Amino acid sequence: MKPLIADLVTLARVPSAVPLGADTLIEPDHPTLRHYVQECLRPMFLGLGAFDIIDLPRNQFAVRLGDGDGPCLALMAYTPTQHHNLMAEPWSGRIRTPVELGVDEPCVFGQGITQNKAHQACLLDLARWVVTERVPLHGTLLLCVNNEGRSTHDCSNAILDGLPRTPDLLVQLFPTGFDVTVGNRGRVDVLVEIEGTAAHSSSPPAAGRVIDAAADVVRRLAELDAVVGTRSHPELGREQVVPYQVRYEPLAPHTLPGTARITVDRRLLPGSDPGAAVAEIRAAVEGAGSGCEIRVRQGVTMLPAYLPPERRGVLDPLTASIREHVGEPRHTIYGGSFDAGGPSSRGIPTVMFGVPEEGDMLGDDFVRLSAVRREADVLRDTVTRFFQKQDR
């Protein structure tokens, strides 16, 4: 078995998933991630002879390669596994040809194989190539391991603050289907808390009915969504206000709840102020629900990212490599929010790139061996072209 695939199988057998349950956020030093990063990934890099490891806050590290005299390219892979939560054998690392899924070539199966582990295996492949073949790199190549699993940019900021220099280009490895993702909307979760009067449903109070107040809040949010939706971007789309979770407490027989918690997805565009977006929602729901107290606070926040066309020349080494090994590259926009907004807000050109994701979001996660090889080839070629371009 080729080292690239052997590494991928090894990684696929190590648990890295966010625990199931209502709390979908995972701390970077959670025991699962600490074991994965410090007892799995780090020893694998050291075993390749990649000894220049920069220890970074929040259970993170970066492997530094090159002579340090020229430009800086950073490649970043993530560790928390958030999807494919109902796989029957999430940590098998099996290689098989899933003809029942319409795929007629060998694939590696494992939870997180497309979100995280294919990219980590490609970083290991890069380190092996540079070290064993003594590839001359006039500059700095940083292979970064990022533990962000809380829908913030805290881990990336900790990495960037701890690096000896700022990257001239940052490629975040993610399943983009070999497209180069040049932008995404931001998102702030806005938490609306409603406090009223708990009562038996046979004797509802005249005021303080939490369910009625929640319905009024949702109606007002829909009206606000129509207003903010007029703010749009030609590539990123519109801003939005969408409640996606409502929780009542207590949940008891024939009992009107005393509290409700509504979580709102507030999408942001470049130039949007998260604090101002929260204030808009606060103003919109003020006074909703007779007899209830309503509190609005800001939750986790991810900033928008956008690399405009006039700055995309920095991507030439990556796009030329994709053209060579995959086909004509496409610049696309990511539908959700992602970590690219953090480095982008610091002025660092940041894009996403990686293998396709073909599995069901809750079901099996798998990646074609050929796709992993193509990503590895693209990244090797990108590194070569990036440092050659700067030498000209």
Side-chain angles (χ1 to χ4, degrees), residues 320-337:
S321 301
I322 295 170
R323 186 177 294 111
E324 175 72 22
H325 297 282
V326 180
E328 191 60 29
R330 297 194 310 159
H331 291 164
T332 58
I333 300 300
Y334 182 55
S337 293

Side-chain angles (χ1 to χ4, degrees), residues 11 14-19 24 26 32-33 36 78-85 87 90-91 110-117 120 148-149 365:
L11 295 170
V14 183
S16 58
V18 176
T24 60
I26 187 171
T32 295
L33 296 185
Y36 189 80
Y78 294 78
T79 59
T81 296
Q82 297 164 313
H83 304 301
H84 306 281
N85 314 88
M87 281 190 72
W91 316 117
Q111 190 177 358
I113 206 80
T114 49
Q115 184 182 10
N116 315 114
K117 299 185 178 185
Q120 296 159 10
E148 182 56 61
D365 190 8

Side-chain angles (χ1 to χ4, degrees), residues 63-88:
V63 175
R64 178 168 50 187
L65 302 164
D67 62 20
D69 289 335
C72 181
L73 170 65
L75 305 176
M76 186 174 286
Y78 294 78
T79 59
T81 296
Q82 297 164 313
H83 304 301
H84 306 281
N85 314 88
L86 302 183
M87 281 190 72

Side-chain angles (χ1 to χ4, degrees), residues 247-323:
R247 291 179 290 169
Y248 295 102
E249 293 178 354
L251 295 178
H254 291 282
T255 301
L256 295 175
T259 62
R261 292 177 176 83
I262 302 173
T263 307
V264 184
D265 180 322
R266 177 64 168 88
R267 295 284 155 168
L268 308 169
L269 294 175
S272 302
D273 180 350
V278 175
E280 272 188 324
I281 289 177
R282 183 177 293 111
V285 303
E286 183 178 6
S290 173
C292 290
E293 180 183 356
I294 297 179
R295 297 180 294 273
V296 177
R297 59 188 176 90
Q298 182 171 334
V300 295
T301 304
M302 302 192 85
L303 299 172
Y306 182 65
L307 187 66
E310 63 269 19
R311 295 188 64 198
R312 292 176 192 172
V314 70
L315 301 177
D316 288 349
L318 175 60
T319 54
S321 301
I322 295 170
R323 186 177 294 111

Side-chain angles (χ1 to χ4, degrees), residues 112-379:
I113 206 80
T114 49
Q115 184 182 10
N116 315 114
K117 299 185 178 185
H119 317 300
Q120 296 159 10
C122 289
L123 293 189
L124 287 162
D125 177 75
L126 273 174
R128 179 184 296 107
W129 170 60
V130 173
V131 171
T132 59
E133 298 190 21
R134 299 184 180 182
V135 178
L137 300 178
H138 182 56
T140 302
L141 174 63
L142 296 168
L143 311 180
C144 304
V145 173
N146 189 316
N147 293 326
E148 182 56 61
R150 294 187 54 80
S151 293
T152 70
H153 305 301
D154 289 349
C155 284
S156 283
N157 285 331
I159 289 175
L160 294 170
D161 289 343
L163 291 176
R165 58 179 303 177
T166 300
D168 298 295
L169 173 64
L170 174 55
V171 181
Q172 296 176 331
L173 301 176
F174 193 72
T176 67
F178 295 129
D179 292 338
V180 180
T181 300
V182 296
N184 57 261
R185 291 180 298 172
R187 189 198 77 244
V188 53
D189 276 4
V190 183
L191 310 175
V192 180
E193 299 175 340
I194 304 171
E195 190 168 338
T197 303
H200 194 279
S201 59
S202 65
S203 304
R209 299 189 193 182
V210 166
I211 291 178
D212 291 354
D216 192 12
V217 165
V218 170
R219 178 186 60 78
R220 294 182 183 209
L221 292 175
E223 293 173 352
L224 180 60
D225 179 59
V227 174
V228 304
T230 61
R231 307 166 196 163
S232 63
H233 184 279
E235 288 192 80
L236 299 179
R238 68 190 292 270
E239 296 192 14
Q240 71 178 47
V241 179
V242 175
Y244 70 90
Q245 189 178 83
V246 181
R247 291 179 290 169
Y248 295 102
E249 293 178 354
L251 295 178
H254 291 282
T255 301
L256 295 175
T259 62
R261 292 177 176 83
I262 302 173
T263 307
V264 184
D265 180 322
R266 177 64 168 88
R267 295 284 155 168
L268 308 169
L269 294 175
S272 302
D273 180 350
V278 175
E280 272 188 324
I281 289 177
R282 183 177 293 111
V285 303
E286 183 178 6
S290 173
C292 290
E293 180 183 356
I294 297 179
R295 297 180 294 273
V296 177
R297 59 188 176 90
Q298 182 171 334
V300 295
T301 304
M302 302 192 85
L303 299 172
Y306 182 65
L307 187 66
E310 63 269 19
R311 295 188 64 198
R312 292 176 192 172
V314 70
L315 301 177
D316 288 349
L318 175 60
T319 54
S321 301
I322 295 170
R323 186 177 294 111
E324 175 72 22
H325 297 282
V326 180
E328 191 60 29
R330 297 194 310 159
H331 291 164
T332 58
I333 300 300
Y334 182 55
S337 293
F338 197 67
D339 191 36
S344 294
S345 70
R346 300 168 70 128
I348 301 171
T350 306
V351 296
M352 299 154 57
F353 168 78
V355 297
E357 183 174 26
E358 299 184 78
D360 177 80
M361 191 179 79
L362 289 175
D364 281 342
D365 190 8
F366 63 91
V367 66
R368 302 175 190 233
L369 302 192
S370 62
V372 181
R373 295 188 189 103
R374 281 198 294 272
E375 179 174 327
D377 289 342
V378 167
L379 293 182

